[in-house]
Amino acid sequence: MPPPSPVPVRPFAAQPFNVMAKPTGSICNLNCTYCYYLEKAKLHPDNYRHQMTPEIQERFIRDYIESQPTEVVQFVWQGGEPTLLGLKFFQRAVELQRKYANGKTIENALQTNGTLLNDEWAAFFAENKFLVGISLDGPREIHDAYRVTRNNRPSFDAVMRGVECLTRNQAEFNTLTVVGAHNMNQPREVYRFLKDIGSRFLQFIPLIERPGRPQDLPLKLAGPPHPGDGDTYDQVTEWSVRPSAYGQFLITIFNDWVKRDVGRVYVQIFDVALNAWVGNEPPLCVFRRECGSALVIEHNGDVYSCDHFVYPQYRLGNLMNTSLGAMAKAPDQYEFGRAKSATLPRQCRECDVRFACNGECPKHRFLSTSDGEPGLNYLCAAYKKFFHHIDPFMQVMAHLLERQRAPAEIMTLIRKGKMPQK
């Protein structure tokens, strides 16, 4: 599996950057057992409202549009649960985007648990071309295992009502599925369910959390590892996915997808992998060689290096005092992004699937390599197994693209017995 030719990387300062907005901070109407963000409210004990003010909202929208060197600017709204702010917040957001667009095209994506959606929300999303991400872990018994309300009640029925509203109003949606102990051994059931409800854009996010230690207080979950300091604390929570199961989860779904659904269903990790096989740097931050271009802004205007690094030591500043562009290009943020490749263990640097993986997310790099070097990703075995499995298929699809043919032709090749059966 020879890696593709190196791809030139633009200087850090010239790159566009993304900012995930959390206008309600970590506040949510659900109490999902595995959620890493709910407890972040403890980092803002003096801010009792936890909602973005009109002043911060306008400053954010204006500054974000002005700071981007691209003609298309995408806003990503997440939480917590952003719909808790009410529809008027997002109606005003669209008005402000139009006011400050200055000829640029504005796109919006919103991630929600779906429980508060109704026809009014759905009609607004459809009219303003929002891409809505629905958090949905699978069929009822799987989804309700961890995704419960504040009263410990199941949330599945409420989510499905939200999906029905989106479908009825022709609002575009995709699904985000957390893969953990509750569904890691049921990939086909999950995949077929998501297709059955009409999802054609699927994300599978591995659930990996470590229980907190005394130094992590007041939080109950451990902060990101520091391999350079010899941090190899490798315990994970009972709800975390197991590497062998996650690798097989992806392989099982890929086997169904590559035979029947190429060009009909879009699975994020498969699309990202194909980018790597055609010689491009993977577009998803966790698989890029360096990170640092995906910031997060909290409800109070605080900006952090990354959604998974919302801790005091990774705070870059506050929007009301410093521009987003300045924070994105700050030396600390540059070093944060560069550290991903700079701290990659030798075993990873010499790996034959590095071009597709690049050590994955630094948040998950808390194991040691076979020779004792810290910084190995918890999911290393999973990705090796998965990327080796899909290699022959990806090579064929990459070849089809080079010949300006559709990757979906691979399904015909498989049916004719011209591809390896796995």
Side-chain angles (χ1 to χ4, degrees):
M1 189 188 305
S5 302
V7 180
V9 178
R10 286 184 289 176
F12 181 80
Q15 293 183 3
F17 60 94
N18 301 308
V19 178
M20 177 187 292
K22 293 181 175 282
T24 59
S26 61
I27 303 304
C28 186
N29 60 320
L30 295 187
N31 190 29
C32 301
T33 307
Y34 58 56
C35 183
Y36 71 96
Y37 219 81
L38 283 177
E39 65 176 8
K40 294 299 175 71
K42 297 176 183 177
L43 299 178
H44 304 280
D46 299 327
N47 191 329
Y48 69 94
R49 295 192 69 186
H50 291 265
Q51 62 183 47
M52 187 174 281
T53 65
E55 293 77 18
I56 295 175
Q57 181 192 33
E58 183 164 4
R59 178 73 67 87
F60 166 57
I61 289 171
R62 185 192 68 194
D63 196 4
Y64 188 45
I65 293 173
E66 292 177 351
S67 67
Q68 293 301 315
T70 56
E71 291 305 308
V72 178
V73 181
Q74 186 179 69
F75 285 80
V76 178
W77 307 95
Q78 200 161 17
E81 176 48 47
T83 61
L84 286 171
L85 286 174
L87 187 54
K88 288 184 178 179
F89 177 91
F90 292 98
Q91 290 171 331
R92 182 173 187 263
V94 170
E95 292 173 1
L96 291 169
Q97 289 168 349
R98 290 170 181 159
K99 176 180 177 180
Y100 294 112
N102 195 26
K104 294 183 178 181
T105 299
I106 308 299
E107 298 177 349
N108 284 281
L110 182 142
Q111 186 65 39
T112 174
N113 59 42
T115 60
L116 302 178
L117 299 185
N118 55 28
D119 285 319
E120 187 179 13
W121 274 105
F124 168 80
F125 291 144
E127 180 183 355
N128 294 282
K129 296 181 173 57
F130 272 59
L131 173 60
V132 181
I134 297 290
S135 298
L136 187 56
D137 286 356
R140 180 189 303 275
E141 64 278 6
I142 292 175
H143 178 88
D144 285 339
Y146 291 135
R147 300 191 65 82
V148 295
T149 68
R150 290 286 177 179
N151 296 323
N152 204 35
R153 302 290 296 171
S155 66
F156 180 82
D157 287 339
V159 177
M160 293 309 299
R161 284 194 294 270
V163 171
E164 290 167 3
C165 288
L166 295 173
T167 302
R168 184 164 53 248
N169 288 274
Q170 298 182 328
E172 186 178 2
F173 75 94
N174 62 24
T175 49
L176 185 154
T177 299
V178 174
V179 183
H182 60 311
N183 58 5
M184 64 186 183
N185 295 318
Q186 296 166 285
R188 281 200 173 92
E189 292 88 338
V190 170
Y191 183 55
R192 291 172 183 173
F193 168 78
L194 295 173
K195 289 197 298 179
D196 286 346
I197 67 164
S199 179
R200 292 297 177 264
F201 298 87
L202 284 59
Q203 298 180 60
F204 295 108
I205 308 298
L207 173 56
I208 305 163
E209 296 296 342
R210 300 183 297 168
R213 301 159 289 180
Q215 60 264 42
D216 297 304
L217 293 173
L219 304 181
K220 294 182 179 179
L221 297 174
H226 300 280
D229 299 332
D231 181 2
T232 55
Y233 169 58
D234 60 2
Q235 295 183 36
V236 296
T237 59
E238 62 181 18
W239 54 81
S240 294
V241 70
R242 276 23 183 195
S244 59
Y246 185 60
Q248 191 57 51
F249 182 95
L250 295 176
I251 287 171
T252 301
I253 293 176
F254 181 86
N255 288 346
D256 280 4
W257 174 82
V258 80
K259 293 174 186 175
R260 304 178 184 89
D261 296 329
V262 182
R264 302 168 188 159
V265 176
Y266 298 87
V267 180
Q268 183 187 54
I269 191 171
F270 303 162
D271 288 349
V272 169
L274 184 55
N275 265 273
W277 257 264
V278 299
N280 297 327
E281 184 170 15
L284 188 62
C285 66
V286 296
F287 294 127
R288 295 180 68 86
R289 281 177 288 176
E290 295 186 354
C291 54
S293 61
L295 287 65
V296 62
I297 182 169
E298 269 281 348
H299 63 288
N300 64 348
D302 284 347
V303 177
Y304 294 84
S305 293
C306 170
D307 179 38
H308 289 290
F309 287 76
V310 177
Y311 298 91
Q313 62 269 40
Y314 297 102
R315 181 180 177 275
L316 298 171
N318 188 281
L319 175 66
M320 303 307 283
N321 303 316
T322 310
S323 72
L324 290 170
M327 287 186 275
K329 299 178 180 72
D332 286 350
Q333 184 65 1
Y334 172 77
E335 289 302 321
F336 171 82
R338 192 184 69 85
K340 179 178 179 179
S341 60
T343 61
L344 204 61
R346 180 178 60 83
Q347 180 175 315
C348 296
R349 296 196 303 270
E350 297 174 355
C351 179
D352 62 347
V353 297
R354 180 189 172 181
F355 72 96
C357 172
N358 286 308
E360 210 242 10
C361 183
K363 172 182 178 284
H364 302 152
R365 285 163 53 176
F366 51 79
L367 300 184
S368 294
T369 64
S370 56
D371 57 2
E373 188 177 2
L376 183 69
N377 196 292
Y378 173 79
L379 292 176
C380 174
Y383 287 124
K384 269 194 165 184
K385 182 178 180 180
F386 171 65
F387 288 132
H388 283 143
H389 177 87
I390 68 174
D391 175 56
F393 303 95
M394 287 294 167
Q395 288 196 39
V396 169
M397 286 190 282
H399 183 60
L400 287 168
L401 283 170
E402 289 171 2
R403 297 167 63 188
Q404 297 186 327
R405 293 167 60 184
E409 290 185 33
I410 194 172
M411 295 186 292
T412 302
L413 297 176
I414 292 173
R415 283 195 297 270
K416 291 182 176 180
K418 295 182 179 181
M419 281 293 303
Q421 298 292 312
K422 290 192 177 183

